[in-house]
Amino acid sequence: MYSLNYKVTTSCCDSEGQLKLFSALQMMQDCSEMWIDSEPGVKNYFSQQNMAQLLATRQVEIVRVPSFKEELTVTTSVYGMKPMFGFRNTFIYDAQGKPCYKTWSMGAFVDKTTGKLKRVDDATIESMTLEPQLEMNYRDRRIMLPKEGGEPCSPIGVMKADIDYNKHVNNANYIRMAMELLPDDFRVKGLRVEYRIAAKLGDVLCPTLFRNEDSIIVSLSVGHDVSTIIEFSK
């Protein structure tokens, strides 16, 4: 397990003084990325093999949204490892140790040069420290898009500020873009996101919004290819 401590500062808050979901996702992502420092064997293997782990899917349960100046602890732990995929929990806890956000995610192992899936050898998998899978409501990682009823929205150009060191749109930025399309009175209580094709600088993301009774699904496409699908639940 790896953990980082945070405080909810001004730049992390929305207009009501509460932690922005985008900022919470950045905290989770940072903790997950830093986790590899706690597993030097895995870190060395990925470096030698020119590999990276890219987020493929994430589910978030929002238990409570923290407020300005609250002290938070983010923890991440791997509970499953396969040759081409890893599974982890990343939780955000308040100062009393109660969870504010519960998440699970699946990462895909890829070759940095080709961008294609690449297997991790058995010895490296066996060297991993696996933690117990934490309690939350685990849902399917695949999000099914309705065949009709989608509302096209204005295209979104990918800017320099959206790109991270993997040379594509940072995973939290897709959620930030999609949230701009939600009605003002929509309060997000849960989130599922499926990453399919990474968008890059200069791409134009074309959003389509699907409204359901208890959720809104936003599909972000580049040309004819779906890049990311995000389901926001009430």
Side-chain angles (χ1 to χ4, degrees), residues 89-102:
N89 287 122
T90 305
F91 278 30
I92 298 182
Y93 298 93
D94 62 19
Q96 288 70 46
K98 296 180 179 179
C100 297
Y101 301 84
K102 300 179 179 182

Side-chain angles (χ1 to χ4, degrees), residues 35-54:
W35 162 89
I36 201 166
D37 289 339
S38 67
E39 292 284 344
V42 179
K43 183 177 182 178
N44 291 336
Y45 179 85
F46 271 57
S47 177
Q48 293 166 4
Q49 297 294 319
N50 194 36
M51 293 173 64
Q53 176 178 273
L54 301 183

Side-chain angles (χ1 to χ4, degrees), residues 135-231:
E135 182 180 346
M136 62 176 289
N137 178 28
Y138 290 83
R139 299 181 61 194
D140 197 307
R141 69 180 184 85
R142 303 291 295 188
I143 303 172
M144 302 303 295
L145 281 177
K147 294 183 178 180
E148 55 185 26
E151 305 170 25
C153 302
S154 299
I156 304 168
V158 175
M159 302 183 297
K160 292 179 182 179
D162 297 320
I163 306 299
D164 63 18
Y165 64 80
N166 288 312
K167 309 300 182 185
H168 54 63
V169 174
N170 181 269
N171 66 72
N173 282 329
Y174 294 100
I175 285 85
R176 175 185 56 78
M177 296 172 187
M179 289 191 71
E180 293 294 325
L181 307 175
L182 299 178
D184 292 340
D185 60 352
F186 192 99
R187 295 293 177 262
V188 180
K189 295 296 293 180
L191 170 74
R192 285 193 301 157
V193 55
E194 182 183 341
Y195 299 97
R196 294 188 178 182
I197 300 174
K200 299 178 181 179
L201 181 63
D203 284 343
V204 175
L205 290 164
C206 297
T208 304
L209 188 146
F210 300 87
R211 300 175 188 267
N212 300 306
E213 184 177 351
D214 297 317
S215 66
I216 290 178
I217 297 175
V218 178
S219 171
L220 298 171
S221 298
V222 177
H224 297 293
D225 298 319
V226 175
S227 170
T228 306
I229 303 173
I230 305 155
E231 179 191 64

